[in-house]
Amino acid sequence: MTGDIVADHQDFDLIVIGAGSGGVRLARMSAAKGARVAVVESRYLGGTCVNVGCVPKKLFVYGSHAGEDIEDSAGYGWSVPGDQVKFDWARLVANKNAEIDRLNGIYARMLDNAGVTVINGTATLADPNTVVVGDQRYSTKHITVATGSWPSIPDVPGSEYMLSSNEMFFLPQLPRQAVVWGGGYIAVEFAGILAGLGVETTLLYRGDLFLRGFDGDIRRFMAQEMVKKGVDLRFGVNIERVESEGGQYQVHLTDGSKLSTGLVMAATGRRALVEGLGLEALGVNMTDSGHVAVDKHFQTAVPSITALGDVIGTPQLTPVALGQGMVLSRRLFGDGQGEMDYSSIPTAVFCQPNIGTVGLTEEEAQEAGYTLRIYRSEFKPMKHTLTGRDERALMKLVVDDETDRVLGAHMVGPEAGEITQGLAVAIKAGATKAQFDSTLGIHPTSAEEFVTMREPVL
Ligand code: NDP
C-alpha cells in the first residue's frame, strides 16, 4: 500500500466520495474531459446545499417574508383582513420537498448525461486506490473526498433535545416559541424564518455581538433590525442545560435565567464529515479542527487522494466548492494549471433584511494597516415609505485612502445578495472609489446608493 498513483486497468480514473456541490462539479467536469468517473453517495444527490441548506432555506425565507409582504400591501391600497390571512406550514414543507425532489432528479440526469456512474451507498477506502461500497470493491487511479460537513452540537446536558438545521427542514409543525442557539449564518437565518412565521423566537449567542467576522456596523445594524422584527436577541449568554418537561423544554442559561420553549435549535457550526472513511489509516492527515489536511492543490498526504469542499475547512459556501471542483478537475485531467482564488469571496446571509458583503470589513482593513476612508449610508427603503414599516437599510464602502481602491462593500437591506454580486465583480477588478462615483446610478433603487455616497464619514 504505497499510495502511488497507478495507471493501469482500474475500474475508474476518479471516484468522488460525496455528491454535493463540489463533488458533482468535479465529477461532471472530469467526465467531460474523458475521464471514467464514479460518484459514491450515501444520502441524497446535491448534498447539503440542495437538500438541507441553501435551496430549501431560501424557499423558507421567501415563505416567511410573504407574511410581511401581505401586511405591507395595505399601504398600497390592498385590503387583507387579518382574520383571513392563514399560513399552512405543512403545505410549505410539502411544496419545498417537491421542489427538492425535482432538483434531485435534475442532478441524477446531469450526472447520467455526463457519463458519471452513481454508486449509492457508504464508501470506505480499503487502500489508496480501492473504494469499497457494500460488498463491491472499485479500483481507481484517483479518489477525491468531497463528503462535506454536518451540524455540530456542543455536548451539554439535554443536547439530545436539540434540533439542527437538518431536522428544521422537515419539522412536522411549528412551535409557539423557539430558542435558536448560535450567532452565525444559520442561527440568524432561521431566527428570521421562525419569527416571520409568527413563532416567538429567542436567539442566544455566547459573545457580545453576533455574526463574528462581519463588519461591525453590519452586525450592530442587523441586531437592531432583527429586534424590530420581534426576535428576542440575548447576547453574552450560553446554554448550560436543557430539560424536557411535559412537551416543553426548559433551557437553563449561564446567567442563571431559564427559558421555557417548544423547540431548541442548535446552529453552532458544522464539522467535517469523515467518520468511517478510513482516511487516517491510509496516512491522510487531519487538521486540528478535524478537517482533511490538503495543500493548495487539494492534495492530501497520500498522492492518489485529494479532497475539496466543506471537508477541507475552506469557507463552507457552495460557490467555493464549485470553484474548487473546477480547479481540481483541471489539475487531474486537464492542463494541470490553475489555483483557487479565495480573495474577495462575496457572500449573503438570508436573514431579514438580507446581508450582502464582499471584500474587507473595516476591522480587517484596519488590521491590515490601510489608511481608510469609510462611506456609509443609512435610509428607509422606498418601498417602506408607503408601508409604514420601520425597516431601514445600511450600505457601506471601505476605501483605501492611498490608492482610492474600494476594499470592501457591505449592505443590510432587501435583495442585498442580488446587489452584492455585481459589486463583487467591481471589487475583484480593483475598482476605485472614483470609478464607483463615475458610474451612473439606476434610479430609483437602493443599489444606486453604492455609487452616490460622496462624503466619507471617517
Ligand atoms: P457558523 O460557524 O457561521 O456559526 C456558528 C455559531 O455558533 C457562532 O456564532 C459560534 O460562536 C457559535 N458556537 C460555536 N460553538 C459554540 C459553543 N460551543 N457554544 C456556543 N456557541 C457556539 O456556523 P453555522 O452553523 O451558522 O453555519 C455553518 C457554515 O455554513 C457557515 O459558516 C457558512 O459558511 C455556511 N452557511 C452559509 C450560508 C449562506 O451562504 N447564506 C447559510 C448557512 C450556512 P462564535 O462566533 O463565538 O464562535
Side-chain angles (χ1 to χ4, degrees):
M1 203 194 302
T2 61
D4 289 343
I5 299 174
V6 283
D8 51 336
H9 59 261
Q10 272 113 359
D11 298 327
F12 294 103
D13 297 311
L14 169 67
I15 295 184
V16 182
I17 305 177
S21 306
V24 167
R25 180 60 62 93
L26 169 66
R28 287 176 55 219
M29 294 288 134
S30 302
K33 293 184 177 74
R36 293 165 307 149
V37 184
V39 176
V40 186
E41 174 55 56
S42 61
R43 223 169 260 114
Y44 26 55
L45 295 180
T48 300
C49 174
V50 168
N51 295 279
V52 286
C54 329
V55 175
K57 178 273 312 290
K58 186 111 188 245
L59 295 175
F60 279 7
V61 172
Y62 283 131
S64 163
H65 201 267
E68 237 183 45
D69 294 334
I70 293 168
E71 275 175 30
D72 288 348
S73 69
Y76 287 90
W78 295 88
S79 296
V80 188
D83 60 358
Q84 287 180 29
V85 177
K86 295 203 169 46
F87 171 69
D88 182 351
W89 169 252
R91 181 142 47 100
L92 173 61
V93 173
N95 289 348
K96 179 270 292 179
N97 289 346
E99 171 58 8
I100 303 307
D101 281 350
R102 189 182 74 85
L103 295 176
N104 293 148
I106 289 178
Y107 267 71
R109 280 194 297 282
M110 264 184 342
L111 287 165
D112 191 43
N113 291 342
V116 175
T117 304
V118 176
I119 302 170
N120 295 309
T122 303
T124 307
L125 276 57
D127 67 50
N129 298 97
T130 307
V131 174
V132 177
V133 184
D135 54 9
Q136 297 290 314
R137 293 171 76 82
Y138 302 94
S139 59
T140 177
K141 188 171 169 189
H142 301 281
I143 296 170
T144 300
V145 179
T147 43
S149 61
W150 198 252
S152 142
I153 303 184
D155 186 18
V156 296
S159 60
E160 66 273 19
Y161 302 124
M162 297 181 188
L163 303 183
S164 73
S165 48
N166 285 350
E167 294 80 47
M168 292 298 289
F169 288 112
F170 301 95
L171 211 57
Q173 60 206 32
L174 280 180
R176 276 204 25 213
Q177 322 91 351
V179 166
V180 179
W181 188 21
Y185 280 82
I186 298 182
V188 294
E189 289 182 342
F190 265 94
I193 290 167
L194 291 166
L197 295 177
V199 177
E200 288 167 34
T201 306
T202 304
L203 182 148
L204 303 174
Y205 174 55
R206 64 180 172 183
D208 45 7
L209 185 60
F210 62 6
L211 292 167
R212 185 164 62 81
F214 286 80
D215 187 275
D217 282 330
I218 298 291
R219 297 165 73 192
R220 285 184 286 275
F221 194 83
M222 195 62 226
Q224 287 167 23
E225 291 302 311
M226 280 183 79
V227 168
K228 283 189 212 164
K229 290 191 190 289
V231 180
D232 179 6
L233 292 182
R234 308 221 189 156
F235 296 153
V237 73
N238 223 346
I239 295 185
E240 213 168 64
R241 66 178 197 282
V242 178
E243 287 160 359
S244 170
E245 256 176 47
Q248 282 284 106
Y249 299 105
Q250 308 302 323
V251 184
H252 296 262
L253 306 180
T254 46
D255 63 2
S257 64
K258 192 174 82 170
L259 286 167
S260 181
T261 184
L263 180 151
V264 186
M265 176 190 182
T268 40
R270 298 178 61 89
R271 63 179 172 78
L273 200 49
V274 289
E275 293 97 87
L277 287 168
L279 292 174
E280 281 172 284
L282 297 183
V284 172
N285 296 327
M286 308 300 285
T287 65
D288 291 345
S289 56
H291 295 95
V292 177
V294 293
D295 67 10
K296 62 181 180 179
H297 302 310
F298 311 106
Q299 182 61 61
T300 71
V302 178
S304 60
I305 304 177
T306 48
L308 57 68
D310 285 7
V311 81
I312 63 170
T314 44
Q316 296 178 327
L317 299 168
T318 283
V320 169
L322 294 175
Q324 292 174 337
M326 293 199 279
V327 170
L328 182 54
S329 169
R330 198 171 155 197
R331 284 237 146 232
L332 295 178
F333 303 108
D335 60 8
Q337 301 301 304
E339 269 180 33
M340 185 69 192
D341 176 2
Y342 295 99
S343 63
S344 300
I345 299 172
T347 174
V349 188
F350 296 100
C351 42
Q352 299 174 42
N354 298 173
I355 294 173
T357 174
V358 57
L360 298 184
T361 64
E362 181 176 345
E363 295 78 13
E364 285 168 342
Q366 263 164 2
E367 180 96 345
Y370 289 102
T371 304
L372 296 177
R373 266 180 283 133
I374 301 294
Y375 297 82
R376 194 164 43 217
S377 173
E378 195 202 306
F379 56 95
K380 183 194 272 261
M382 186 179 172
K383 178 183 175 188
H384 294 305
T385 55
L386 296 197
T387 66
R389 186 173 294 283
D390 181 22
E391 181 182 301
R392 297 184 71 75
L394 173 73
M395 290 179 178
K396 176 170 178 177
L397 289 176
V398 178
V399 178
D400 175 14
D401 190 46
E402 202 180 311
T403 61
D404 197 42
R405 203 174 142 195
V406 180
L407 302 172
H410 310 279
M411 169 177 180
V412 175
E415 306 298 353
E418 305 290 344
I419 293 170
T420 304
Q421 184 66 79
L423 290 172
V425 178
I427 289 187
K428 195 87 184 164
T432 60
K433 179 65 169 64
Q435 288 167 323
F436 270 62
D437 293 345
S438 70
T439 303
L440 295 182
I442 299 173
H443 188 71
T445 62
S446 291
E448 68 181 317
E449 206 67 25
F450 270 120
V451 294
T452 53
M453 289 189 262
R454 297 283 179 243
E455 293 302 320
V457 292
L458 268 181

